Amino acid sequence: MTAELASILDFIRYGASRFAAAGLTFGHGYDNALDEATQLVLHALHLPHDLNPVYGQARLVAAEKAAVLALFERRINERKPACYLTGEAWFAALSFKCDERALVPRSPIAELIEAGFEPWRNGRPLNRVLDLCTGGGCIAIASAHYLPEALVDGVDLSDAALGLAQENADRLLVADRVRLLKSDLFNELTGETYDLIVTNPPYVTRAEVEALPDEYRHEPESGLIAGEDGLDLALRILRDAPNFLNDDGFLICEVGESERALVNLFPQVPFIWIEFKVGQMGIFLLEKVDLLTWHNEFAVVAKERGL
């Protein structure tokens, strides 16, 4: 079989066919078998992820073929996301170190970061930014990269995730402007205030996690589950965020598929559901004034849930 496969394109096509036949799930940086096979082939060959297509007909030597096929077999047999196999994930056009200490970066918030949070920022200064539930640091670090004037705090409860985030801050040369803190959301941030709080907290229900494909079981469960409706962390953030925002500050929060549950809980709250290039993705914006206006409602529901 290896004699019949010769070029980079041969192996990409073969990998995509194998992945489709094996029923793999794609959702960790790549959404289809062809793109994932491409990245695994290029990684195995130590080639850049954006290799010029003109090299597609380049032929592999025996050792390279063996390396590519071994990576394909691991992807199929272990059901491990490709980013964990390569150790690299791309977020906001930046290369991040990626391993099982944190979720694979894949939030559409990347699109907002690359745009400097416009038009929602509306020209406001963003001198201090907070990324809650930073995981491997992608949102905090990318924000520092695209907002060179900003000092960014990245907060997480996991020591392992914070270790990975520090490695990424060093990797992307923003460690002087990114401070990483261990905290259960706002608990250790007394006295701090920010122009923007941006967060992609856990928002998946336990029932949904139990039904997820095997690929997701390699990720830390603590980065996914957030109560019966996926809103336990979001409710705490909504309740407490105004205490940590400057007067003209605003909150951007991802709740994914829990959007419907949030709207059902608070049908009168003027959530701004942000539209992305691919449509609405369960990410809302609220200004501090709105967080204050509806604070009692957020606090009551949080208290009812024992949060």
Side-chain angles (χ1 to χ4, degrees):
M1 180 270 294
T2 55
E4 298 176 53
L5 300 173
S7 70
I8 290 176
L9 286 177
D10 287 343
F11 278 87
I12 290 173
R13 196 283 309 158
Y14 176 73
S17 295
R18 288 288 310 280
F19 294 168
L24 300 187
T25 294
F26 310 101
H28 294 88
Y30 308 105
D31 62 5
N32 63 82
L34 194 60
D35 285 348
E36 192 156 296
T38 299
Q39 294 309 312
L40 288 176
V41 169
L42 295 177
H43 173 78
L45 299 178
H46 308 286
L47 293 171
H49 76 105
D50 55 352
L51 183 72
N52 191 310
V54 72
Y55 293 100
Q57 296 301 329
R59 297 166 67 87
L60 280 62
V61 301
E64 292 174 329
K65 292 180 180 182
V68 170
L69 293 174
L71 205 53
F72 286 172
E73 291 305 313
R74 287 194 64 195
R75 178 66 182 92
I76 292 167
N77 295 331
E78 299 176 27
R79 290 300 202 266
K80 186 176 287 192
C83 292
Y84 285 160
L85 293 174
T86 64
E88 180 184 45
W90 287 83
F91 179 84
L94 301 171
S95 169
F96 286 83
K97 182 175 181 179
C98 181
D99 60 38
E100 281 134 310
R101 286 176 286 177
L103 300 187
V104 174
R106 53 184 178 274
S107 172
I109 288 173
E111 186 178 316
L112 300 179
I113 296 172
E114 290 184 79
F117 295 98
E118 296 289 7
W120 315 106
R121 174 185 179 179
N122 196 24
R124 287 176 279 188
L126 295 181
N127 297 315
R128 296 208 67 206
V129 176
L130 172 63
D131 170 23
L132 285 176
C133 307
T134 195
C138 61
I139 289 175
I141 292 164
S143 295
H145 177 85
Y146 286 97
L147 301 171
E149 75 279 14
L151 298 177
V152 183
D153 285 351
V155 168
D156 207 282
L157 193 55
S158 165
D159 289 317
L162 288 170
L164 177 59
Q166 185 62 61
E167 292 172 28
N168 277 317
D170 294 336
R171 174 189 181 110
L172 288 161
L173 306 177
V174 294
D176 60 328
R177 292 189 295 110
V178 174
R179 181 175 62 161
L180 298 167
L181 304 167
K182 182 176 181 178
S183 178
D184 182 1
L185 297 183
F186 298 103
N187 287 2
E188 306 301 322
L189 298 180
T190 302
E192 303 285 353
T193 57
Y194 302 91
D195 302 305
L196 165 65
I197 298 171
V198 56
T199 177
N200 177 19
Y203 55 74
V204 185
T205 69
R206 181 165 296 278
E208 288 171 338
V209 167
E210 290 173 353
L212 287 172
D214 289 343
E215 280 82 354
Y216 292 86
R217 305 196 188 285
H218 292 275
E219 296 187 292
E221 193 175 82
S222 60
L224 295 169
I225 296 178
E228 294 304 310
D229 60 1
L231 293 177
D232 280 4
L233 275 77
L235 286 169
R236 291 173 57 196
I237 292 167
L238 285 165
R239 178 194 63 196
D240 297 337
N243 298 325
F244 298 88
L245 281 170
N246 294 324
D247 288 343
D248 202 26
F250 59 107
L251 167 71
I252 292 175
C253 179
E254 180 171 344
V255 293
E257 296 297 326
S258 295
E259 173 185 338
R260 181 177 300 177
L262 183 61
V263 172
N264 287 340
L265 273 178
F266 305 109
Q268 303 305 316
V269 173
F271 295 108
I272 298 172
W273 294 98
I274 297 173
E275 291 285 333
F276 294 84
K277 293 175 183 176
V278 293
Q280 192 167 304
M281 300 291 288
I283 295 173
F284 69 80
L285 181 150
L286 277 179
E287 300 285 347
K288 178 177 180 176
V289 62
D290 295 314
L291 289 163
L292 288 172
T293 299
W294 296 93
H295 176 264
N296 288 342
E297 285 76 1
F298 298 144
V300 166
V301 175
K303 184 177 181 179
E304 289 174 350
R305 298 187 178 203
L307 302 174

